[in-house]
Every structure is written in C-alpha cells, then in structure tokens.
C-alpha cells in the first residue's frame, strides 16, 4: 500500500513487489547512458561509481524512507537499501561530516547574472543585458562595480571581472565596457563551474520527473517536443528557434522571480521557510538511429 506521502513502501528485499518494470529498467538505462559516458571520459570507473552509489543509497534510505520522525536504525537502512549493515554504519558516520562540493564562485556568479539580466538599470530597451562601465566612477549605477557591490559588498568587482574573463562569461568591448557573453551563466571554461550546473540542473529536472512518476501532487511541469525524421538544416533552424524563444521565457521568469523574491523576503513571516525553484530549457539532437525506434518518438510529451 502506498505511504501517505505517495512514496512507494519498500518491500523486505529493498525493491518493489515483483521487481522493477521493464519500462522502468529501459528508462534507467537510457538516462544513465550519457552519465556513464561522462564518467568514462573523466576516468571514473565502475568500482568508484559503485562506492559512490552505495553512499547515496544509504543517504536516501536514511532521509526519505523513514517510518516516523525518528532516524531509522542501521538494520532498517540496510533492509531498504540492500547495503550491508556494517557498511551502513560506516557510511552514516561519514555523512555526518559532508564536504562542501559547490565552488563558492558559482552561486554568487549566478546571482550577479540574474540581476544583470533582470534589473532595469542593467537591461537595454530590447531586453538584452547592457554593456557596463567597469567602475562606478565611469558609469555610476550602470557599472559593473555597482552591480557587484549591489549583490555582495564583501567582494571586489575586479576579482569577479578577472575570474569571469578567465571563464569566458564576459568580454571587454572596444570601449572597455564589460559585456555578458551569453544569456545565462554558462562558463565556456572552468570545469568546476560546469560540473556544478551539471549536478544542479540535471538533479532538478530528474527530481521533477521522479515526483510525477511517483504520483506526487500537484505534478510539476515537465514537457518536451521530440521528432526523429528531420534534415540537418531543419535541426539547425529548430535549435536557433529554441534558443530565441527559450531565452525569452528564461528572461521573463528571471525578472518575475527576482521581483517576487524581493517582495517575499520583506514580507516573510517568522518561522516561514523560503523555497527555491528551477526553470530550465534544453535542446538536443543526434542521428535518429541512435535514439528511439522510428515512429515512437514524435510529438509532444505529456
């Protein structure tokens, strides 16, 4: 019987009654394939991944499959996860002192870009981010220095500028102004920054899809359009169209969310916990013979 929170009740062997459905197994193989490709390209082998997964199974079983508000015993976690009880005890101790994995520059950088693209002072009439003078003495409020100090006064704008020039987030134009290179904070260089967004974006996309598959209410919006009989020229046109309409949607949501966050922060009641959101856009193309069988992947997903 499903639990009240719509999470399936684990069985004594740690899996659903009768084992996972063939459709779920196919889905897991498909979604894991690009991640396995990434891991092999980065020298991460199966034994390393197996140890990583063992810790994750323990962590999720500990936090999300509790029978009540009390922490489960090692035996309970072992039963749910399938991990040996001795390993459960060791891994749970390690989980009490997690290392900080997120590079500090990333959340700050994302916040700066959000203001650059959503604050009227830093946006042109056509909605594009305005080129900014480097110093407040040159551009006043419409300067990169004012942007940085308005978000975080504890860091010098020169430090941020040097790092963003290194990562390819910005460039300097002929007038020496700071220009945002892309419509979102996606560094062209910087492995740690790219890895941060890999984890953040794929986690939230997967979490929304899993919430829906498990019957969570209300369901999250999780939609896509997919076709498999297109010419390369058509794919190029659709990629450009996706970027155009996708960026318009991202900019609109960014502006509305920034305004809402300022209002909500001022009106938040004592004890009220803030929530976070992610809204994303993606586009992917590959030869049809590498994807779904012909005739089974056209249209809009529900």
């Amino acid at each position: 019987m499903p639990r009240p929170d719509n999470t399936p009740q684990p069985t004594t062997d740690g899996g659903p009654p009768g084992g996972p459905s063939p459709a779920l197994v196919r889905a897991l193989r498909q979604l894991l394939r690009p991640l396995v490709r990434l891991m092999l390209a980065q020298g991460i082998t199966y034994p390393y991944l197996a140890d990583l997964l063992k810790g994750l199974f323990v962590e999720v079983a500990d936090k999300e499959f509790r029978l009540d508000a009390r922490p489960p015993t090692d035996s309970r976690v072992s039963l749910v996860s399938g991990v040996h009880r001795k390993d459960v005890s060791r891994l749970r101790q390690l989980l009490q002192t997690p290392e900080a994995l997120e590079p500090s520059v990333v959340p700050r950088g994302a916040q700066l870009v959000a203001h650059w693209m959503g604050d009227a002072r830093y946006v042109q009439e056509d909605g594009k981010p305005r080129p900014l003078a480097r110093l407040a003495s040159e551009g006043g409020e419409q300067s990169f220095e004012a942007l940085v100090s308005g978000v975080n006064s504890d860091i010098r704008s020169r430090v941020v500028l040097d790092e963003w020039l290194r990562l390819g987030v910005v460039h300097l134009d002929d007038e020496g102004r700071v220009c945002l290179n892309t419509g979102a904070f996606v560094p062209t260089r910087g492995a740690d920054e790219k890895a941060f967004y890999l984890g953040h974006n794929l986690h939230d996309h997967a979490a929304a899809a899993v919430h829906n598959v498990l019957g969570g209410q209300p369901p999250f919006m999780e939609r896509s359009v997919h076709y498999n009989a297109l010419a390369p020229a058509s794919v190029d046109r659709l990629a450009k169209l996706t970027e155009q309409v996708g960026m318009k949607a991202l900019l609109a949501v960014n502006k509305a969310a920034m305004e809402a966050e300022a209002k909500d922060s001022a009106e938040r009641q004592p004890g009220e916990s803030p929530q976070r959101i992610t809204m994303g856009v993606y586009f992917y193309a590959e030869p049809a013979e590498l994807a779904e069988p012909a005739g089974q992947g056209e249209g809009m997903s529900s």
Side-chain angles (χ1 to χ4, degrees):
M1 176 179 293
R3 298 169 63 193
D5 61 358
N6 292 320
T7 302
Q9 175 66 50
T11 60
T12 55
D13 63 359
S21 71
L24 178 58
V25 173
R26 286 194 298 270
L28 289 173
R29 286 178 57 87
Q30 187 173 10
L31 71 90
L32 289 173
R33 187 176 299 275
L35 297 180
V36 171
R37 177 172 176 265
L38 171 65
M39 286 184 282
L40 291 178
Q42 296 296 318
I44 297 177
T45 60
Y46 170 75
Y48 185 96
L49 175 62
D51 195 54
L52 177 66
L53 283 174
K54 186 182 294 185
L56 282 172
F57 269 78
V58 169
E59 181 181 2
V60 174
D62 183 358
K63 294 182 178 179
E64 300 187 27
F65 285 81
R66 298 184 175 187
L67 294 176
D68 49 41
R70 294 175 299 175
T73 64
D74 289 349
S75 296
R76 162 76 182 167
V77 174
S78 177
L79 180 70
V80 172
S81 66
V83 178
H84 194 281
R85 189 165 60 87
K86 291 183 179 179
D87 287 332
V88 168
S89 177
R90 173 180 62 85
L91 291 168
R92 292 180 85 181
Q93 292 179 9
L94 291 176
L95 291 172
Q96 298 301 316
T97 57
E99 297 179 1
L101 297 178
E102 299 178 4
S104 59
V105 68
V106 174
R108 184 189 306 124
Q111 190 177 14
L112 286 170
V113 171
H115 277 75
W116 196 344
M117 301 180 67
D119 191 314
R121 293 174 296 177
Y122 308 120
V123 178
Q124 301 178 121
E125 291 184 1
D126 60 3
K128 296 181 179 180
R130 183 186 302 276
L132 302 176
R134 296 175 61 176
L135 303 174
S137 59
E138 302 170 348
E141 287 191 351
Q142 293 181 336
S143 66
F144 188 75
E145 183 179 18
L147 169 67
V148 174
S149 62
V151 173
N152 190 329
S153 59
D154 295 330
I155 186 170
R156 295 171 54 198
S157 62
R158 178 57 186 270
V159 174
V160 178
L161 178 59
D162 288 345
E163 179 67 3
W164 279 12
L165 288 171
R166 181 185 72 84
L167 293 175
V169 176
V170 298
H171 70 275
L172 300 179
D173 65 11
D174 294 339
E175 300 178 31
R177 298 177 301 178
V178 185
C179 305
L180 189 64
N181 283 340
T182 61
F185 184 64
V186 181
T188 56
R189 295 179 291 276
D192 288 347
E193 290 76 12
K194 289 182 178 180
F196 170 84
Y197 281 104
L198 170 74
H200 179 278
N201 294 344
L202 290 190
H203 168 274
D204 286 5
H205 190 169
V210 169
H211 171 87
N212 294 346
V213 169
L214 294 179
Q217 295 296 328
F220 288 111
M221 179 178 179
E222 204 267 324
R223 302 286 186 270
S224 65
V225 175
H226 39 98
Y227 287 80
N228 57 17
L230 296 165
S234 296
V235 171
D236 291 340
R237 289 196 299 271
L238 291 169
K240 293 176 182 178
L241 176 62
T242 299
E243 183 173 2
Q244 293 171 357
V245 299
M247 284 310 305
K248 288 182 180 179
L250 288 171
L251 288 170
V253 172
N254 176 69
K255 184 175 185 297
M258 188 168 62
E259 294 171 350
E261 187 174 65
K263 178 177 179 293
D264 295 346
S265 297
E267 299 177 355
R268 183 170 297 122
Q269 300 299 315
E272 183 182 13
S273 299
Q275 298 194 35
R276 71 177 187 88
I277 68 161
T278 297
M279 178 265 191
V281 175
Y282 67 95
F283 182 92
Y284 180 71
E286 68 176 3
E289 61 267 19
L290 299 179
E292 301 169 274
Q296 296 184 16
E298 299 183 349
M300 179 176 291
S301 72
S302 58

